[in-house]
């Protein structure tokens, strides 16, 4: 009876697996703060994505870890960059049965760790991210990712005007069919800590991203402005991130827009679950399902989660 009348369904077809691929390694590298998640080699990524496809997962979100970082993050748009090479691999292997998404940002690729290029010396308190100079770089990344086989590019840097700049760059390079999943309402959260281990990213000078990511004291008023700006600029899907502490934002965005809505169950949310479960303090499987269901119940159509493989295996 409970199944018959349940209001919310959790289905593997609505999960996206975030995956890390690192340049210049021969063996997958574990990530201490993300138990069960690794930095993949090109080869192990191919194998993982084939297995995910066989398990019924329909989409992956790729993040790259380059060997060389520089001030503008050129590894992010280099046609030989690790994500571009991996997208080519995956497009050949599973491109007809898997949605290939690529995170579009430079923080994994810059030597200063910010999501954009800087207007002064790194670490100097008077230095800011140069929003408009960053847009030009984002356009180049989008074209490189689309060229390599990405079906969806997902700008996560929270620069103003990024969706419009990326749409224009894609269209003028002949990639009108490449979709944009905008990280629209993305908060300056402490819950991204393990992710920064996963991509070897630290902000030089100990700064933060509060100048471009949202303040968690702000609710739907600001979030809906951000979402609407992205839709006006051509976003096909929008995202709220993180998920569990922002269920009110997910619900408000769901009520306000008709496009598909994604929510990102981020690294810190996953790490808290794993740590408490490892201590025997909570039941991993019960809480994992409870959390993912809550995100869907709040209104997300799509959930990005490091639990995607676990869920697919548990429900195969
Ligand atoms: C930025 C990006 C971040 C995450 C996804 N894209 C880090 C950040 O904004 O600081 C975090 C994802 C997670 O914590 O799982 N490229």
């Amino acid at each position: 009876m409970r199944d018959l009348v349940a209001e919310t369904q959790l289905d593997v077809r609505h999960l996206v697996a975030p995956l890390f691929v690192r340049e210049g390694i021969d063996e997958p590298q574990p990530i201490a703060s993300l138990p069960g998640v690794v930095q993949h080699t090109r080869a192990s990524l191919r194998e993982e994505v084939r297995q995910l496809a066989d398990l019924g997962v329909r989409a992956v979100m790729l993040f790259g870890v380059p060997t060389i970082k520089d001030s503008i993050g050129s590894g992010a748009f280099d046609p030989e960059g690790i994500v571009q090479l991996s997208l080519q691999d995956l497009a050949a292997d599973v491109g007809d049965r898997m949605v290939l998404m690529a995170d579009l940002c430079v923080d994994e690729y810059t030597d200063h760790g910010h999501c954009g290029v800087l207007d002064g010396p790194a670490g100097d308190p008077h230095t800011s991210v140069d929003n408009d100079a960053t847009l030009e770089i984002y356009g180049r990344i989008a074209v490189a990712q689309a060229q390599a086989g990405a079906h969806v590019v997902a700008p996560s840097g929270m620069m103003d005007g990024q969706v419009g700049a990326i749409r224009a760059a894609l269209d003028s390079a002949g990639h009108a069919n490449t979709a944009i999943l905008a990280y629209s309402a993305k908060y300056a959260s402490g819950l991204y800590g393990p992710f920064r281990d996963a991509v070897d990213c630290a902000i030089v000078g100990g700064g933060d991203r509060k100048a471009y990511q949202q303040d968690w004291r702000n609710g739907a008023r600001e979030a809906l402005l951000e979402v609407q700006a992205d839709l006006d600029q051509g976003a096909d899907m929008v995202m709220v991130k993180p998920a569990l502490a922002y269920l009110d934002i997910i619900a408000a965005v769901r009520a306000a827009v008709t496009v598909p809505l994604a929510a990102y169950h981020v690294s810190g949310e996953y790490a808290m679950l794993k740590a408490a479960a490892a201590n025997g303090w909570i039941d991993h499987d019960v809480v994992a399902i409870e959390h993912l269901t809550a995100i869907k119940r709040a209104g997300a159509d799509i959930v990005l989660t490091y639990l995607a493989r676990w869920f697919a295996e548990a429900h195969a």
Side-chain angles (χ1 to χ4, degrees):
M1 182 72 88
R2 294 177 88 234
D3 283 344
L4 188 68
V5 299
E7 296 174 29
T8 308
Q9 312 302 335
L10 196 55
D11 190 305
V12 66
R13 289 172 297 184
H14 302 139
L15 302 183
V16 180
L19 296 169
F20 303 100
V21 58
R22 181 167 167 184
E23 194 172 25
I25 53 169
D26 299 324
E27 290 293 327
Q29 305 291 313
I31 302 159
S33 53
L34 285 177
V37 180
V38 300
Q39 294 176 327
H40 280 287
T41 67
R42 254 178 93 177
S44 72
L45 181 76
R46 293 180 89 143
E47 185 52 33
E48 173 74 9
V49 176
R50 257 192 238 109
Q51 290 178 14
L52 287 170
D54 291 343
L55 284 163
V57 176
R58 297 286 167 86
V60 293
M61 175 72 78
L62 281 197
F63 295 90
V65 190
T67 343
I68 297 172
K69 303 190 186 220
D70 63 19
S71 64
I72 63 165
S74 38
F77 54 80
D78 181 350
E80 302 289 309
I82 184 65
V83 161
Q84 278 67 256
L85 295 177
S86 294
L87 283 167
Q88 287 172 27
D89 293 341
L90 301 182
D93 293 348
V94 294
D96 55 349
R97 59 187 181 126
M98 191 70 131
V99 179
L100 302 177
M101 303 183 171
D103 184 79
L104 195 169
C105 195
V106 290
D107 62 323
E108 299 92 356
Y109 301 88
T110 52
D111 51 15
H112 47 73
H114 275 291
C115 298
V117 298
L118 304 181
D119 66 2
D124 183 313
H126 301 293
T127 295
S128 296
V129 166
D130 185 335
N131 188 96
D132 294 0
T134 302
L135 298 184
E136 195 263 326
I137 308 268
Y138 284 2
R140 291 165 74 173
I141 302 172
V143 172
Q145 291 177 338
Q147 201 76 50
H151 303 121
V152 178
V153 299
S156 63
M158 290 297 280
M159 296 300 129
D160 291 342
Q162 62 185 11
V163 171
I166 288 166
R167 186 72 269 159
L170 286 170
D171 290 354
S172 60
H175 296 293
N177 291 334
T178 306
I180 299 176
L181 165 56
Y183 287 72
S184 299
K186 173 170 174 180
Y187 287 83
S189 173
L191 291 162
Y192 309 145
F195 173 90
R196 292 181 189 160
D197 293 342
V199 297
D200 296 331
C201 174
I203 299 179
V204 168
D208 57 46
R209 306 197 200 290
K210 291 180 180 167
Y212 40 99
Q213 298 180 348
Q214 285 176 236
D215 186 335
W216 60 63
R217 291 171 295 186
N218 294 349
R221 232 164 70 194
E222 186 179 52
L224 289 175
L225 271 178
E226 294 283 351
V227 165
Q228 195 55 53
D230 286 353
L231 291 176
D232 291 345
Q233 292 167 39
D236 299 287
M237 302 175 253
V238 295
M239 193 196 299
V240 172
K241 176 184 169 195
L244 291 171
Y246 300 89
L247 296 177
D248 57 329
I249 310 299
I250 295 173
V253 175
R254 173 69 296 152
V257 306
T258 49
V259 294
L261 171 60
Y264 199 143
H265 178 249
V266 301
S267 58
E269 300 177 277
Y270 174 89
M272 289 193 292
L273 167 68
K274 293 290 172 182
N279 274 301
W281 295 339
I282 60 173
D283 180 324
H284 174 275
D285 295 3
V286 173
V287 177
I289 296 291
E290 181 178 347
H291 278 179
L292 295 178
T293 304
I295 297 165
K296 288 227 74 180
R297 193 189 62 233
D301 302 302
I302 302 166
V303 184
L304 288 86
T305 175
Y306 304 97
L307 293 165
R309 186 182 175 119
W310 165 80
F311 182 87
E313 283 176 337
H315 297 84

